[in-house]
């Protein structure tokens, strides 16, 4: 059975992403589009659109165009959408990188994508220079000034008309994001102009923003949640965005108060803070009207606590990097639908639930793997045709790796994850990657990693280790920490006599999670 959206279908414009999201820039020319949380730098819609056009011309003058790749290695700053959309307008592809990732991880992604330009901050120049020596990066651009790099502002000196390369919105990839998908190491998710237009449009439809909306842009733009629902949908709807380069509790609360933020896009870690922290009482958060949670499942009781404390609507949506957003709770705070759901499907989205053993389609209120399709679903994984075939059905349905059901009202409930991905503070952590590092330790004979519940982080990566020589948990955790990004660190270790495995050798992660739960 295929579950269809209760929302009427909408037409996806056959245009480019940049022209779509900046279509109202002229009429909003005097309005502030984006500002730094410190207030040091801001761009009106008119200034931003002009900077995008001039930077696209500057890139074109450097020979950058269709088929070329520009990498972004920067946290959320006001210039991020300028560089992103300049590359898109010039006909190129952007690979959005996480600055917290290791040099090895970043070099691999740059080489895989074939990036020739790298945009970063002066503070990241040493890392960027090291990456350039290991990849095909030919030039480093920085926001600001730094010796040994080209100032991004030099691109803005071009007054020529921006290039108009031939773009096929349904086929040409505008951005590569990274996701672990259902299993294994992070993979490049190829999203076309049409995919990203559909995503921004769906956000506008399921979570419309008022004309005076002020949004705190703290979800990172290198993540689908921040790039699509915050940055691109924000530009499309003419909101004012306030960028934060990183989440710090007191700075986060101060920014809401000082900038009179009306809407938050947040991960559950932030909602724990808002619902329970005594810090909140020190700040005036009365400007908040709505909070939309994403990145990981939000506990209904937590949403209720936050809503009651702040007096604003708290809702959550659901989707993957491969297709976001797909489901969203109703805006109506008096909605009688269960807070345990992630809402109904967005316009143009079809969903089906299949038996995890037989693959047969299931009906309402039956648990199975969640699949969905729509115009926002990725083109495929970069340089991974076999994995793409396993994830995308020939008819366009995307395997999510999540277990759930659709009730009689069309609301989707997430029950569990079939996939092994760990969600740590909204970041994706692959247990397979951590297991490989654990197994490289000379005193480790076998290992498994699972996510265990944590109120603040959603999940913590926990390692179960079989040793072959005396070793301490601290020694093992330090060993892993030296080789991974901070958010990927193993936070707990438990020594075990044998890793439980299936007859074909797969780790029985559920039994390890049950073991952890029983020990609490």
């Amino acid at each position: 059975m295929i579950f269809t959206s209760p929302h009427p279908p909408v037409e996806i414009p056959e245009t480019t992403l940049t022209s779509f999201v900046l279509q109202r820039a002229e009429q909003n020319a005097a309005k502030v589009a984006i500002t730094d949380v410190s207030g040091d730098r801001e761009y009106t819609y008119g200034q931003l659109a002009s900077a995008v056009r001039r930077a696209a011309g500057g890139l074109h003058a450097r020979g950058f165009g269709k088929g070329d790749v520009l990498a972004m290695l920067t946290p959320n700053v006001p210039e991020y959408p300028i560089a992103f959309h300049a590359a898109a307008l010039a006909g190129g592809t952007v690979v959005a990188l996480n600055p917290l990732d290791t040099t090895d991880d970043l070099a691999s992604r740059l080489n895989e994508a074939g990036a020739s330009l790298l945009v970063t901050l002066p503070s990241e120049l040493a890392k960027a220079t090291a990456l350039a020596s290991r990849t095909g990066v030919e030039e480093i651009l920085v926001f600001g000034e730094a010796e040994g790099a080209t100032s991004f502002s030099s691109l803005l000196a071009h007054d020529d008309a921006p290039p108009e390369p031939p773009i096929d919105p349904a086929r040409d990839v505008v951005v590569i994001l990274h996701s672990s998908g259902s299993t294994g190491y992070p993979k490049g998710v190829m999203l076309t102009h049409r995919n990203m237009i559909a995503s921004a449009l769906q956000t506008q439809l399921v979570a419309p923003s008022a004309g005076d909306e002020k949004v705190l842009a703290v979800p990172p733009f290198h993540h689908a949640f921040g790039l699509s629902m915050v940055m691109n949908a924000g530009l499309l709807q003419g909101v004012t965005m306030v960028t934060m380069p990183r989440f710090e509790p007191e700075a986060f609360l101060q920014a809401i108060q000082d900038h009179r933020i009306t809407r938050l896009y947040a991960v559950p870690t932030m909602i724990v803070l808002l619902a329970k922290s005594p810090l909140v009482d020190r700040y005036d958060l009365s400007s908040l009207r709505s909070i939309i949670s994403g990145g990981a499942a939000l506990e209904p009781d937590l949403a209720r606590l936050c809503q009651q404390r702040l007096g604003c609507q708290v809702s959550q949506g659901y989707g993957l990097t491969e297709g976001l957003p797909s489901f969203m709770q109703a805006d109506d705070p008096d909605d009688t639908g269960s807070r345990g759901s992630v809402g109904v499907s967005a316009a143009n989205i079809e969903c089906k639930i299949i038996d995890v053993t037989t693959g047969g389609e299931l009906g309402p209120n039956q648990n199975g793997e969640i699949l969905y399709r729509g115009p926002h679903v990725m083109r495929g994984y970069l340089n991974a045709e076999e994995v793409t075939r396993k994830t995308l059905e020939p008819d366009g349905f995307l395997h999510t790796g999540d277990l759930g059901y659709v009730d009689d009202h069309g609301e989707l409930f997430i029950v569990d994850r079939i996939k092994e991905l760990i969600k740590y503070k909204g970041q994706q952590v692959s247990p397979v990657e951590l297991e490989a590092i654990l197994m490289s330790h000379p005193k480790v004979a076998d290992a498994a990693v699972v996510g265990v519940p944590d109120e603040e982080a959603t999940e913590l990566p926990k390692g179960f280790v079989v040793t072959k020589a005396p070793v301490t948990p601290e020694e093992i955790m330090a060993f892993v920490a030296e080789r991974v990004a901070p958010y990927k660190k193993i936070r707990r270790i438990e020594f075990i006599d044998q890793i439980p495995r299936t007859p074909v050798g797969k780790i029985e992660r559920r039994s390890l999670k049950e073991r952890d739960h029983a020990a609490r």
Side-chain angles (χ1 to χ4, degrees):
M1 177 178 182
I2 294 178
F3 300 92
T4 57
S5 173
H7 303 292
V10 294
E11 183 179 352
I12 309 302
E14 289 295 319
T15 186
T16 62
L17 174 63
T18 301
S19 61
F20 180 71
V21 301
L22 294 181
Q23 61 182 280
R24 299 185 183 92
E26 187 174 339
Q27 70 186 59
N28 292 323
K31 183 179 181 180
V32 175
I34 193 162
T35 181
D36 181 71
V37 69
S38 67
D40 292 341
R41 303 187 315 284
E42 69 176 29
Y43 297 88
T44 65
Y45 273 91
Q47 291 169 334
L48 186 144
S50 174
V52 167
R53 290 192 298 268
R54 286 181 285 132
L59 288 172
H60 179 70
R62 275 173 161 71
F64 182 91
K66 191 170 181 179
D68 293 320
V69 179
L70 177 146
M72 298 284 295
L73 182 66
T74 167
N76 291 8
V77 292
E79 293 77 16
Y80 198 111
I82 295 174
F84 179 96
H85 283 290
L89 187 61
T93 299
V94 175
V95 55
L97 302 173
N98 185 346
L100 295 178
D101 280 335
T102 65
T103 302
D104 286 345
D105 287 342
L106 293 169
S108 174
R109 289 167 193 175
L110 287 166
N111 282 323
E112 181 183 51
S116 59
L117 298 178
L118 176 60
V119 179
T120 191
L121 300 180
S123 60
E124 298 288 336
L125 185 58
K127 179 185 281 189
T129 302
L131 288 169
S133 69
R134 300 173 54 182
T135 66
V137 170
E138 300 168 0
E139 186 175 12
I140 298 171
L141 301 165
V142 294
F143 296 135
E145 302 286 342
E147 187 175 349
T150 303
S151 174
F152 183 82
S153 62
S154 66
L155 299 181
L156 305 181
H158 292 261
D159 292 326
D160 299 336
E164 296 183 6
I167 297 294
D168 180 350
R171 295 296 302 168
D172 289 339
V173 176
V174 69
V175 66
I176 298 170
L177 301 176
H178 283 85
S179 166
S180 291
S182 57
T183 59
Y185 292 92
K187 294 174 287 293
V189 177
M190 298 188 294
L191 296 165
T192 66
H193 286 259
R194 187 169 191 265
N195 292 154
M196 294 301 287
I197 288 170
S199 183
L201 182 57
Q202 286 163 349
T203 299
Q204 180 185 33
L205 294 171
V206 300
S209 294
D212 62 346
E213 207 84 79
K214 285 190 175 181
V215 175
L216 188 58
V218 65
F221 292 152
H222 64 74
H223 190 284
F225 188 27
L227 182 68
S228 183
M229 295 192 73
V230 181
M231 189 181 93
N232 283 331
L235 293 174
L236 173 65
Q237 297 179 87
V239 308
T240 294
M241 288 176 280
V242 179
T243 61
M244 285 194 74
R246 66 188 61 83
F247 172 71
E248 295 173 350
E250 292 198 57
F252 172 73
L253 297 171
Q254 189 74 52
I256 297 172
Q257 173 181 284
D258 291 351
H259 291 275
R260 305 301 294 162
I261 298 298
T262 61
R263 170 170 292 184
L264 291 176
Y265 289 90
V267 296
T269 303
M270 300 173 193
I271 295 176
V272 170
L273 170 77
L274 294 169
K276 298 186 175 182
S277 174
L279 286 174
V280 172
D281 296 328
R282 304 179 192 173
Y283 298 90
D284 177 6
L285 309 185
S286 61
S287 60
L288 283 175
R289 301 172 192 160
S290 63
I291 301 173
I292 295 173
S293 178
L298 178 65
E299 289 293 330
D301 288 344
L302 186 61
R304 192 175 297 110
L305 278 174
C306 185
Q307 185 164 310
Q308 290 171 349
R309 186 180 195 185
L310 300 181
C312 67
Q313 171 69 9
V314 179
S315 57
Q316 71 170 324
Y318 169 72
L320 308 179
T321 302
E322 292 84 346
L324 179 82
S326 297
F327 289 76
M328 180 61 70
Q329 288 176 346
D331 287 335
D332 183 1
D334 299 321
D335 178 65
T336 56
S338 171
R339 291 286 91 183
S341 82
V342 293
V344 299
S345 56
N348 299 14
I349 306 299
E350 296 174 299
C351 171
K352 65 181 178 180
I353 309 296
I354 65 169
D355 187 286
V356 295
T357 303
T358 67
E361 294 184 14
L362 302 176
N365 302 303
Q366 292 181 291
N367 284 341
E369 184 185 6
I370 302 162
L371 282 73
Y372 60 75
R373 69 179 172 191
H376 67 323
V377 170
M378 68 171 182
R379 175 177 159 181
Y381 293 117
L382 179 65
N383 301 331
E385 292 183 7
E386 182 177 350
V387 180
T388 298
R389 283 194 295 271
K390 291 179 179 178
T391 306
L392 277 177
E393 294 287 340
D395 60 4
F397 272 99
L398 173 74
H399 285 265
T400 68
D402 288 324
L403 189 72
Y405 66 91
V406 177
D407 72 1
D408 294 327
H409 304 289
E411 294 194 51
L412 178 66
F413 291 76
I414 310 296
V415 175
D416 203 347
R417 286 202 300 274
I418 303 169
K419 60 186 181 180
E420 301 165 347
L421 199 63
I422 298 167
K423 289 290 184 74
Y424 175 77
K425 294 186 177 180
Q427 300 277 7
Q428 299 178 339
V429 180
S430 167
V432 174
E433 181 181 4
L434 294 177
E435 285 157 3
I437 295 171
L438 284 172
M439 291 297 292
S440 71
H441 192 289
K443 296 180 181 179
V444 172
D446 200 3
V449 176
V450 300
V452 297
D454 181 81
E455 183 175 73
E456 291 189 2
T458 302
E459 288 183 319
L460 296 175
K462 178 177 178 177
F464 290 85
V465 174
V466 179
T467 64
K468 53 186 177 184
V471 64
T472 65
E474 291 75 19
E475 182 181 340
I476 292 176
M477 287 189 286
F479 178 85
V480 175
E482 292 173 357
R483 292 161 173 79
V484 298
Y487 68 89
K488 293 183 181 179
K489 291 192 295 187
I490 290 178
R491 310 284 165 162
R492 295 176 186 168
I493 290 287
E494 181 177 338
F495 294 121
I496 193 171
D497 293 331
Q498 184 178 17
I499 300 297
R501 296 180 183 273
T502 67
V504 295
K506 292 185 177 181
I507 297 169
E508 293 183 339
R509 299 186 194 278
R510 185 179 295 275
S511 67
L512 291 173
K513 290 188 176 186
E514 290 171 352
R515 177 188 177 101
D516 175 81
H517 179 75
R520 289 175 181 266

